[in-house]
Amino acid sequence: MKLDIVAFGAHPDDVELGCAGTILKEISLGKKVGIVDLTRGELGTRGSAAIRHQEATAAAEILGVTVRENLDMRDGFFTNDEQHQLAVIKMIRKYKPEIVLCNAIDDRHIDHAKGSKLVSDACFLSGLVRIETDIDGVKQEAWRPKLVYHYIQWKNVVPDFVVDITGFTDKKTESILAYGSQFYDPNSKEPESPISSKNFLESLNYRSRDLGRLAGVEHAEGFTVERYLAVNSLGDLI
Ligand SMILES: [Zn+2]
């Protein structure tokens, strides 16, 4: 099955926090989008791997993505080596996306920058025909995505461009709140974590408003890129 966009995240909920608005918008424009989580988030302060699996499934339904897979890497300890690169390459070759979205290049959680580099390296390697992979004995063709974009997470990384997500923020919030174990819940008896505060939840809204303000739209999500951005003409920017 071919997809237009595959969004990778080190933990279930990274994709929702970083780029759910963009995914919702692209799907509304007719694009096919999938999500691949690298780990099950089993080291998270709140919830459990089983609960987060249910939450990730519910969030995927809210977003309307075509598939959501989990590579079952070790939360906190996965590395950017051959074994892990091959696991990501198999996903890229399976879904042949033109665009890959992945974690922030720099962040508080060490898995984010690690996941960012792992996916980016795998996107390059996936295009090399002499790296052979198969799924259940069926050989895969080499495939290199045209573009790799890194979303923004905890830290205020300066974006290279922003996507106007006006009209998609309510649904984005809904997809985030599908992770009931992780985010602000005044009735929760679980320990506090940096992302379970009311302030964090509200910060998602004011960040998208702020990026939108700076770009002349209502709400926006920011991304960084690894090469120069090109436009066909000066009129391409909104
Ligand atoms: Zn994360």
Side-chain angles (χ1 to χ4, degrees):
M1 180 209 304
K2 166 140 177 39
L3 297 175
D4 301 299
I5 300 167
V6 174
F8 287 85
H11 313 108
D13 75 17
D14 286 353
V15 167
E16 284 81 359
L17 292 168
C19 60
T22 301
I23 287 175
L24 285 159
K25 185 163 193 181
E26 292 297 331
I27 291 173
S28 81
L29 295 170
K31 294 290 195 310
K32 273 194 150 69
V33 182
I35 296 175
V36 178
D37 300 311
L38 302 182
T39 76
R40 298 194 179 277
E42 65 271 18
L43 294 185
T45 307
R46 290 154 72 109
S48 65
I51 291 170
R52 292 186 76 169
H53 174 70
Q54 289 173 0
E55 293 170 343
T57 305
E61 268 179 43
I62 292 164
L63 293 177
V65 294
T66 308
V67 289
R68 181 166 210 152
E69 299 225 29
N70 194 298
L71 293 180
D72 223 358
M73 294 177 183
R74 280 186 71 205
D75 190 4
F77 294 101
F78 71 83
T79 51
N80 182 6
D81 61 9
E82 182 178 350
Q83 178 206 338
H84 293 84
Q85 287 160 357
L86 286 171
V88 176
I89 290 169
K90 282 186 185 186
M91 288 294 111
I92 295 166
R93 291 179 173 180
K94 181 176 177 183
Y95 293 116
K96 299 181 164 50
E98 274 77 31
I99 295 172
V100 161
L101 307 177
C102 59
N103 284 105
I105 50 170
D106 178 30
D107 220 10
R108 185 186 71 86
H109 198 305
I110 59 163
D111 281 353
H112 294 170
K114 242 193 310 172
S116 174
K117 186 80 169 71
L118 166 61
V119 171
S120 176
D121 288 353
C123 285
F124 173 78
L125 292 170
S126 178
L128 301 179
V129 292
R130 290 193 169 167
I131 296 176
E132 293 185 4
T133 56
D134 69 88
I135 289 186
D136 299 329
V138 180
K139 195 171 174 295
Q140 293 185 296
E141 284 174 18
W143 180 270
R144 183 174 294 147
K146 266 197 334 223
L147 298 155
V148 179
Y149 296 140
H150 303 264
Y151 46 82
I152 294 168
Q153 300 187 250
W154 182 267
K155 287 190 184 176
N156 282 326
V157 175
V158 177
D160 293 323
F161 73 96
V162 302
V163 176
D164 177 5
I165 60 160
T166 306
F168 296 93
T169 50
D170 287 350
K171 205 88 174 157
K172 171 178 177 165
T173 304
E174 202 187 317
S175 76
I176 291 166
L177 291 177
Y179 294 88
S181 71
Q182 300 301 302
F183 301 110
Y184 180 63
D185 173 4
N187 299 314
S188 174
K189 300 277 182 286
E190 296 221 59
E192 275 283 308
S193 79
I195 59 170
S196 71
S197 69
K198 192 159 183 258
N199 188 15
F200 177 72
L201 198 59
E202 288 173 356
S203 75
L204 298 171
N205 184 53
Y206 64 69
R207 175 186 274 159
S208 72
R209 278 199 181 278
D210 202 40
L211 289 174
R213 174 182 69 84
L214 293 163
V217 299
E218 206 173 316
H219 286 275
E221 282 173 340
F223 296 85
T224 62
V225 294
E226 297 172 21
R227 64 164 172 79
Y228 284 178
L229 291 166
V231 293
N232 277 321
S233 82
L234 293 177
D236 282 352
L237 296 178
I238 59 171

